[in-house]
Amino acid sequence: MNRIALALLLSAGALLSPGVVRAQANDMFPSKAAAEQRAKELKCSGAFAMGKEWMPCQNFGVYEKAISKEK
């Protein structure tokens, strides 16, 4: 994982629950296609760049809502 992305995720931990931060770390992908596949599992669409890696859903706000529903 890109060091900047990891630092952002860890700093976000102060605002987010540990489960959300853990999900974010697991949802960083090296390709847009892999992130889009995960987006389908989360019932959102698209992918967005986070540094040199990709995360599922159209943006971070949509991603947060999607993972909050995943249990």
Side-chain angles (χ1 to χ4, degrees):
M1 179 182 303
N2 164 328
R3 287 183 183 177
I4 294 171
L6 180 59
L8 288 171
L9 290 174
L10 293 175
S11 65
L15 303 173
L16 303 171
S17 71
V20 172
V21 173
R22 194 173 318 111
Q24 290 173 10
N26 292 332
D27 284 335
M28 301 287 290
F29 297 93
S31 71
K32 185 176 182 181
E36 289 172 332
Q37 182 61 41
R38 174 69 172 135
K40 290 178 186 177
E41 295 171 8
L42 291 170
K43 297 180 178 56
C44 61
S45 63
F48 66 97
M50 177 71 82
K52 292 183 179 182
E53 296 183 297
W54 293 87
M55 290 191 72
C57 303
Q58 300 92 326
N59 58 53
F60 193 74
V62 175
Y63 169 76
E64 284 184 305
K65 288 179 185 175
I67 61 168
S68 72
K69 294 176 185 175
E70 184 186 58
K71 300 245 181 210

